[in-house]
Amino acid sequence: MSNNNNPVGSKIKGIRETKNLSIEQIAERSGLSADQINSIENDVNLPSLGPLIKIARALGVRLGTFMDDNDALGPVVTRAKDRESDSSISFSNGATDARKHMEYHPLAQQKAGRHMEPFIIDIHPTDNLDYKLSHHEGEEFIYVMEGEIELVYGKEKYSLHQGDTIYYDSIVKHHLHGAPGKSAKILALVYIPF
């Protein structure tokens, strides 16, 4: 994880401790291993959104709680100049040796009580095709701003280019990555019912 201003792992640990829950209890509730949760809490490895959503459910909080900065009730504006200078959140996306595969730039960290998580995501080229499909409750909408991406969705594979969009149910196993050897920039909206 590259974001020092937004330590997702320590927020998860803080919420878990506030609720007097052990790592083992969260592991049991989420279906993840205790080692994986420990690794996430210590910011050693931040996985794709799927496991984070499972941890959020196990803790009884929104996914956005892990990324919140403040609690603005009104509209939240994120200026392009601020987004470019911010620290992003890097997810491994299931590839343990490619933890810089995707950089997420959250667009609504200050919005309290939100049900959508909007991101600009920079996807870097990777030769690692050993990715792991994930799934979670909710829906996702992707708009390709630059480059080319591939979405493995169930047994299908979709190739998307600049200007293309896709809207899908996240409960179906999926994996999003750049087309082989290509980088991309996408707008992603993740909706998770709470």
Side-chain angles (χ1 to χ4, degrees):
M1 189 173 82
S2 65
N3 188 350
N4 295 327
N5 298 326
N6 199 343
V8 173
S10 63
K11 285 193 178 185
I12 291 171
K13 184 176 183 177
I15 294 166
R16 178 181 59 75
E17 290 175 347
T18 298
K19 292 179 176 273
N20 292 317
L21 295 168
S22 68
I23 286 178
E24 290 73 22
Q25 287 172 305
I26 298 303
E28 185 178 333
R29 291 181 183 186
S30 67
L32 303 173
S33 72
D35 285 346
Q36 188 175 12
I37 292 167
N38 191 47
S39 171
I40 292 166
E41 284 191 357
N42 291 301
D43 293 322
V44 173
N45 184 25
L46 194 58
S48 61
L49 289 176
L52 290 181
I53 290 167
K54 290 177 182 177
I55 292 172
R57 288 249 181 244
L59 290 170
V61 299
R62 296 176 299 105
L63 171 67
T65 305
F66 303 152
M67 298 170 220
D68 289 348
D69 281 345
N70 298 306
D71 287 326
L73 296 175
V76 171
V77 175
T78 303
R79 303 284 180 200
K81 63 180 177 59
D82 297 332
R83 189 179 70 245
E84 296 304 320
S85 65
D86 76 345
S87 294
S88 62
I89 302 170
S90 293
F91 291 91
S92 66
N93 224 19
T96 54
D97 60 344
R99 288 169 49 199
K100 298 288 184 182
H101 174 79
M102 302 173 95
E103 289 181 28
Y104 287 61
H105 304 272
L107 299 178
Q109 289 175 280
Q110 296 83 14
K111 178 65 177 159
R114 64 189 180 273
H115 296 282
M116 292 187 305
E117 292 297 334
F119 300 97
I120 298 288
I121 304 175
D122 291 314
I123 302 174
H124 304 295
T126 178
D127 294 328
N128 186 353
L129 298 177
D130 185 27
Y131 46 78
K132 187 175 170 185
L133 301 181
S134 67
H135 65 284
H136 51 84
E137 290 185 61
E139 302 169 347
E140 295 182 39
F141 172 81
I142 306 293
Y143 168 72
V144 182
M145 300 168 65
E146 298 173 11
E148 183 181 346
I149 64 168
E150 287 182 350
L151 174 73
V152 176
Y153 185 76
K155 295 180 179 178
E156 303 292 324
K157 184 185 284 189
Y158 298 89
S159 182
L160 303 166
H161 299 82
Q162 183 174 339
D164 292 344
T165 67
I166 191 166
Y167 190 122
Y168 55 92
D169 293 313
S170 312
I171 198 70
V172 176
K173 290 192 173 186
H174 60 280
H175 189 276
L176 179 73
H177 50 271
K182 305 241 175 132
S183 61
K185 182 185 290 276
I186 64 173
L187 169 67
L189 290 173
V190 180
Y191 166 74
I192 302 143
F194 184 74

